Amino acid sequence: MRILLVGAGGVGDAIAKISARRAFFEVMVVTDYDITRAERTIAWLKDKHGAEAIEGRFIADQIDASKPESVTEVAKRHGATHVMNAVEPKFVPTIFAGALAADADYLDMAMSLSLPHPTNPYAETGVKLGDDQFAEAGKWEQAGRLALVGIGVEPGMSNVFARYAQDQLFSSIDELGTRDGANLVVRDEEGNEIFAPSFSIWTTIEECLNPPVIWEKGKGWFTTPPFSEPEVFTFPEGIGPVECVNVEHEEVLMMPRWLDAKRVTFKYGLGDEFIGILKTLHQLGLDSIEPIKVRTAQGPAMVAPRDVVAAALPDPATIGPRMTGKTCAGVWVTGVGKDGNPREVYLYHVSDNEWTMAEYDSQCVVWQTALNPVIALELLATGIWSGAGVLGPEAFDAVPFLELMAKPEADGGYGQAWGLEER
């Protein structure tokens, strides 16, 4: 396996760091529009593991993710068998197309974007998350290539948990409810709490300000207003109760394609302050991705307001040393158990920032996201997972993924325990 990693930001950097401990691939080409970011990641790997262990196995290169021909050229030049997309979802169409043109398999952690749509019901003409990619499934099948989409943490690990629940725990499922919460705090040098999103603010604005999607059997997909249906969900391992609200997310668009449930939802623990800031950005038009003319020292320039917001905030890849706490990703499942009795469980994984910083020099949110595509790549490399077309993680057997994830590193696994909490 020869992997082209597109993007050396927080998640791409963590993917390379996790992969460096594994032996399932021949080469990983770490690329970025700014090649110095890729070179910085490889320099860290050499310092951590020794130059001899990294030299030739990890290679830095420059790429323009906005141009499919650039992705194709770099992939072909390095003989890439797999293209791993680790940049913002606005680049999904070009990387997706570039990988297929290079006759390579493809993985991403966030799917193609939706288009504006009414709040309720979902317009027949609306474009949902992932629609553009699923529409290309026939081309990928015909080429005999696999596009494994949505294989981050959410979507990704959450989808694996949902498949496990269907196969191993339930005879029928009422609701698959992805629930994400944390008790993370970021402080400035004086110790004051600051607003610093732990993940890409560009992506956060997109998913939080779009109308959230819900799926129900017999009704299909429909939307509600942003931040609707607040509920307090109690997260494990000391995180505790967090108010969660509906958010547009890929799981709701993916799970019903392969799993049998009466209802599929996604709720995120944002907090009043975060919600207030997002609403203000929307009121000021700072969430827009349409470029506007702004004055600069070099003269007028066309700039998207959302890109300005992203540039003004701390890079999520850099806030780890100032962050404390844990983040939890999981799926709350209700229905009838295998024994015929009502059952309610929460399957989850918790990532502790103190541990991820000490082990990988990566903050916990990006590290937890990066873990899952690496596990998936290993399952593909060993032939345990295989397929063609455009498929989500729930299209594959969940047991090998969770076993490899939980097995101690000394025994060839990733040493990441996951939890199953009866509710």
Side-chain angles (χ1 to χ4, degrees):
M1 177 179 283
R2 298 176 65 88
I3 304 165
L4 171 60
L5 175 62
V6 183
V11 177
D13 177 73
I15 286 173
K17 290 174 177 178
I18 296 168
S19 299
R21 297 189 181 191
R22 313 303 296 181
F24 65 85
F25 63 97
E26 180 185 352
V27 172
M28 177 173 286
V29 185
V30 184
T31 67
D32 201 279
Y33 189 78
D34 178 0
I35 193 173
T36 63
R37 286 163 38 117
E39 291 170 340
R40 183 176 65 235
T41 292
I42 293 177
W44 186 93
L45 295 177
K46 289 181 178 179
D47 183 63
K48 179 76 171 180
H49 299 283
E52 290 185 0
I54 301 303
E55 196 71 44
R57 191 162 181 251
F58 287 85
I59 302 168
D61 205 344
Q62 197 272 341
I63 201 166
D64 186 346
S66 69
K67 297 178 179 178
E69 59 270 21
S70 176
V71 176
T72 301
E73 189 278 324
V74 178
K76 285 186 173 181
R77 178 153 46 83
H78 291 282
T81 60
H82 293 73
V83 174
M84 179 70 242
N85 179 353
V87 293
E88 292 169 349
K90 64 181 179 181
F91 297 110
V92 163
T94 49
I95 302 172
F96 188 68
L100 182 59
D103 196 30
D105 286 354
Y106 167 91
L107 298 89
D108 65 31
M109 294 164 282
M111 297 190 69
S112 57
L113 298 174
S114 62
L115 292 179
H117 42 70
T119 57
N120 196 18
Y122 214 116
E124 289 295 326
T125 57
V127 177
K128 303 183 292 300
L129 289 169
D131 273 359
D132 291 344
Q133 288 173 281
F134 286 125
E136 299 289 308
K139 292 182 180 179
W140 286 79
E141 290 175 7
Q142 188 174 9
R145 300 257 60 99
L146 170 66
L148 176 50
V149 295
I151 183 60
V153 60
E154 291 172 341
M157 185 189 294
S158 53
N159 305 59
V160 172
F161 284 145
R163 173 64 187 265
Y164 181 84
Q166 177 178 276
D167 290 352
Q168 306 295 326
L169 306 178
F170 287 82
S171 58
S172 66
I173 293 174
D174 292 331
E175 181 169 350
L176 292 169
T178 304
R179 297 294 184 267
D180 181 306
N183 60 2
L184 298 170
V185 175
V186 182
R187 303 182 186 277
D188 61 19
E189 293 180 356
E190 286 73 42
N192 302 308
E193 287 190 32
I194 61 172
F195 178 73
S198 55
F199 206 71
S200 164
I201 188 62
W202 200 102
T203 305
T204 301
I205 289 172
E206 179 72 22
E207 61 191 27
C208 291
L209 290 179
N210 279 348
V213 184
I214 295 172
W215 185 89
E216 291 182 359
K217 184 173 286 189
K219 186 174 183 179
W221 287 290
F222 62 96
T223 59
T224 68
F227 316 119
S228 58
E229 300 181 4
E231 69 176 45
V232 175
F233 191 85
T234 301
F235 291 90
E237 299 193 23
I239 295 175
V242 178
E243 185 176 79
C244 299
V245 294
N246 283 326
V247 168
E248 180 189 51
H249 228 253
E250 287 91 343
E251 288 94 327
V252 181
L253 287 311
M254 297 171 70
M255 290 180 184
R257 297 174 186 269
W258 290 282
L259 304 179
D260 186 13
K262 295 177 183 176
R263 179 177 166 91
V264 182
T265 59
F266 179 97
K267 290 190 178 183
Y268 194 11
L270 294 172
D272 291 339
E273 180 189 22
F274 204 157
I275 291 174
I277 289 171
L278 290 172
K279 287 181 176 179
T280 300
L281 290 175
H282 179 63
Q283 290 169 345
L284 297 175
L286 294 174
D287 60 326
S288 174
I289 60 175
E290 295 300 323
I292 59 174
K293 185 181 289 187
V294 298
R295 290 179 295 176
T296 75
Q298 289 74 39
M302 299 299 291
V303 181
R306 192 185 300 184
D307 289 337
V308 175
V309 174
L313 289 171
D315 182 346
T318 68
I319 63 176
R322 293 179 285 163
M323 180 189 289
T324 57
K326 300 176 181 179
T327 184
C328 180
V331 177
W332 168 66
V333 189
T334 62
V336 178
K338 295 291 188 182
D339 60 1
N341 293 318
R343 194 174 191 185
E344 178 180 351
V345 302
Y346 182 57
L347 298 101
Y348 66 90
H349 176 262
V350 171
S351 182
D352 187 327
N353 192 70
E354 182 179 0
W355 182 86
T356 62
M357 286 300 300
E359 284 286 314
Y360 291 92
D361 195 26
S362 293
Q363 55 103 326
C364 60
V365 176
V366 298
W367 186 91
Q368 189 185 46
T369 303
L371 170 67
N372 306 285
V374 180
I375 297 174
L377 282 164
E378 183 158 348
L379 292 174
L380 293 171
T382 55
I384 296 173
W385 277 10
S386 63
V390 180
L391 303 176
E394 58 274 87
F396 300 90
D397 185 2
V399 172
F401 185 103
L402 295 175
E403 287 181 346
L404 183 60
M405 174 180 157
K407 188 185 297 183
E409 282 194 68
D411 297 330
Y414 286 76
Q416 290 298 302
W418 54 277
L420 193 164
E421 184 176 88
E422 298 283 349
R423 296 264 172 148

